Each structure stands twice: as structure tokens, then as C-alpha cells.
Amino acid sequence: MSEHSGHAIAERVQGIVDDHAEMEGPLLPILHAIQDEFGHVPEEAVRPIAAALNISRAEVHGVISFYHDFHTEPRGRHIVKICRSEACQARGGQSIEDKARELLRLNWNETTPDGSVTLEPVYCLGLCTSGPSALIDDRPVAKLSGEKLAALVKELD
């Protein structure tokens, strides 16, 4: 993450690219490996990836920006994803969204100043019959209420 210097990032990115050199269609596995390593895909990673794969930097950026699971900035230690699908909206999802933003004092895709929590929208968690729902640090939470969300957010401290 931010504790990595530019040289350290470049060195590690090159190692990851080298690890995937023999793979067919390596871009997504490389991006996943880089995000696993740094918690995001740093800008410094784009040029060596593009050079190694003989594609343009715009193509690498295009893939990063297309997939919502790739992030170009460090995220919080905890990730709170609130489902914004129509099914969750029909079950009171808007009030959960409002409560999440109020509790965390964040808007979508923002991280608390201390880096503890990032709030993100998600557009279906497959819990449509028991919404509104959320994903908190990869743990699905169904039948979410404002009180339940407040208790879960408090546990993140």
C-alpha cells in the first residue's frame, strides 16, 4: 500500500508480470495479483504491465476501470458494500444507504480519513429475497435494518 516506494512497487509489479509471462490472457490474473499485493492497482503498475503484454496503457486502464473490483486508490481496512439493486431498494434499501452514509460520514467510494472503512455500492449480492443486504468485509448480511447496520459498523472500530 502507501508504505511501498515507487521503486519497490515497480520491482514487485515486474515480479508479478514475470510470474504470469507464460500464461495465455494474463492481464486479469496480473491485475488481481497486483491488487492482492498492494490493496489496489497503483498507477506505477500500468506502464510495466502494458509493456510486458504489448498493449497500450489505455487498454490496461480500460480493464481496470471496467471492472468495479479493481481499485486505483488504497481502500479502507474494512469494506462496507451496500446493495443498491432494485430488490433491495424495494425493501427499504434507500434508508440503509442513508444510514450507512450518516454512520460512516462518507459518500460512495470514500474512505474514512483514518483509513479504517470504505463505503461502496454494489448492485446485487444475490440476497434479493432477504434484502436490504450488505457485504461487510466479505461477510454477507441480510435483512438489514438501521439498528443492525449501526451495530455492525460499531464492531469495525
Side-chain angles (χ1 to χ4, degrees):
M1 294 206 191
S2 61
E3 68 269 5
H4 295 97
S5 70
H7 179 71
I9 291 172
E11 196 170 284
R12 186 61 195 124
V13 166
Q14 191 58 54
I16 290 169
V17 168
D18 292 345
D19 290 346
H20 294 80
E22 301 302 319
M23 180 180 273
E24 189 171 325
L27 180 55
L28 288 175
I30 288 170
L31 292 173
H32 280 289
I34 290 170
Q35 185 155 291
D36 288 346
E37 178 82 20
F38 299 104
H40 68 290
V41 180
E43 178 63 32
E44 297 93 327
V46 173
R47 185 180 297 271
I49 293 169
L53 301 182
N54 196 27
I55 59 177
S56 72
R57 287 180 287 153
E59 289 173 285
V60 176
H61 276 292
V63 170
I64 294 169
S65 64
F66 179 79
Y67 291 103
H68 295 276
D69 284 335
F70 291 125
H71 303 278
T72 57
E73 297 293 328
R75 298 162 65 211
R77 293 182 298 281
H78 300 284
I79 308 298
V80 175
K81 294 183 178 183
I82 305 291
C83 186
R84 301 188 73 198
S85 71
E86 290 179 21
C88 281
Q89 292 295 312
R91 295 177 171 268
Q94 182 63 53
S95 67
I96 297 301
E97 293 176 30
D98 294 342
K99 186 71 173 180
R101 288 195 300 262
E102 174 193 326
L103 289 167
L104 297 169
R105 296 184 184 146
L106 297 173
N107 281 314
W108 297 122
N109 300 307
E110 289 183 344
T111 301
T112 54
D114 66 356
S116 64
V117 181
T118 297
L119 178 64
E120 296 180 350
V122 63
Y123 294 94
C124 189
L125 294 170
L127 300 169
C128 301
T129 60
S130 55
S133 59
L135 196 63
I136 299 178
D137 290 337
D138 296 327
R139 186 178 88 189
V141 181
K143 297 183 180 178
L144 203 53
S145 66
E147 295 78 24
K148 190 173 182 180
L149 180 62
L152 292 167
V153 165
K154 190 173 183 176
E155 290 176 11
L156 299 177
D157 292 333

